[in-house]
Amino acid sequence: MKTYFFRMVFATLLGITLHSVQVSAQGGMFATTAGSTRFSASTPLENIEAENKKSQAILNTANNEIAIRMNMRDFVFPNKLMQEHFNENYIESVKYPTATFSGKVDKAPDYTKDGQYDLSATGKFTVHGVTKERTINGKMKIEGGKISITSDFNVALVDHNIEVPSVVFVKIAQVISVKANYVLTPYKK
Amino acid sequence: MKILRLVMMLICSTSTILYAQDDLLGELSKQDSAQTIPVTATFKSTRVVNGQSVETMKKKHLDFRISHRFGKLNSGAYQFFGLDQASMRMGFEYGLTDDLMIGVGRSTSQKVYDFFGKYKLLKQSSGARNIPVSVTLFGGMGITTVNKELEFQDKLYYTAQVLIARKFGERLSLQLSPTYLHRNHPDVTGDEKVLLAVGIGGRFKLSKRVSLNGEYFYTAREKNTVNAPYYDSMSFGVDIETGGHVFQLHFTNSLGMIEKQFIGETAGTWGKGDIHYGFNISRTFSFDKKNKKKPTHE
């Protein structure tokens, strides 16, 4: 009798959890796991550029929430020594493995209509364990059921406690320019 | 009953995980939970001090190394405590793949040309695949050209090493290096052709760019005999990293900078103050053109 009771509880709970999954999937979610995030810290002395082709982005068109996440280890540098320094000394990717943005699209476009829109999103931007409230501008293109987001913005090293010591011969720009390019498709769980 | 309680707990925990999905970032982080994260920078350089480290050059990266060992500190003020004399090795080392590198070098001491290959067999990693240590295989040979009377065969020597290292947290890395050394014609008559040794080395990071390194090679033979008037090699150094360069400054009782010399023929001993000051300068160049091409943006 007892076993029967627990089996019932089990089934009900399972039903509830499955139901909640279905509900959130209907929210009109668009996502990618292969977004490109590039940054440049170049100076006249040295070319310092890297690209992360595994950036993750997700947009919920129902409530305009947007989140972006990337592993710092996935930034690829042409010079592998720079890559090692980036992970070990500057960004400390063991301690702070990801960079994230989590916020809301300010003035949402009509997602069902194809077209190109200027866009801004406000939310929490976290790099190197330091979170800043930021509004980031970009462009959104809606075409054939896909949402493309591009953005160009700057990150000041000092804002995120990223230290460049004077012993480094190679000069690194104090403000990093970042270019993001994400193509989001309907998200299936 | 216990099983039931377990099942209940399981259900509860699953439902909390599912609840967390409402958070979009949580949803994203769920996608890469099964990653294998390799440990990087077990050592700053391809050398601990004299000996090889588990590190290899990355694909299409060239390392130009210049190493110096000065004379003995105990040689007195007349020799400016060793700085008047210098022994040098110059080397070019290149990564064929991320795991396989080759190198060539020339030492002034004994006028040796050395060639080697290094292959990363195992990489310490955590996450989906958990590997506790990094293992790198080293194979080298060299030609000693200082003695012109010798047959070509007799100028050759060979080294084989298995390098096993582990990075314990952010600061400490330790390495064990069992070594097999074969000289076709040992320098001193009566010395054995084959020498077995085991090295223990390590690095301790003092700051982000400075580390303290140490290394000791135990050789399986009697020390300072008539046939083999040699000691074990012991070295201490500091690695300083500055962008594309790594400077390694050290004190060692070995004059030579290749395995045959510092493992097999270390003539000095710390006890008597036969200490050489020395340095390695390593400069890395990237020839990876493919990655330099800029991806197009809309």
Side-chain angles (χ1 to χ4, degrees), chain B residues 263-275:
Chain B
I263 299 174
E265 297 158 3
T266 290
T269 169
W270 278 75
K272 291 181 194 157
D274 305 329
I275 301 159

Side-chain angles (χ1 to χ4, degrees), chain B residues 53-54 56 118-121 134-138 161-163:
Chain B
S53 76
V54 286
T56 59
K118 235 167 122 177
Y119 178 67
K120 244 185 204 175
L121 196 66
S134 297
V135 177
T136 299
L137 303 178
F138 170 86
Q161 275 182 323
V162 182
L163 314 166

Side-chain angles (χ1 to χ4, degrees), chain B residues 12-30:
Chain B
C12 291
S13 55
T14 1
S15 53
T16 41
I17 291 168
L18 287 169
Y19 177 72
Q21 281 174 6
D22 290 350
D23 171 14
L24 287 183
L25 273 180
E27 184 72 39
L28 290 178
S29 62
K30 204 183 59 179

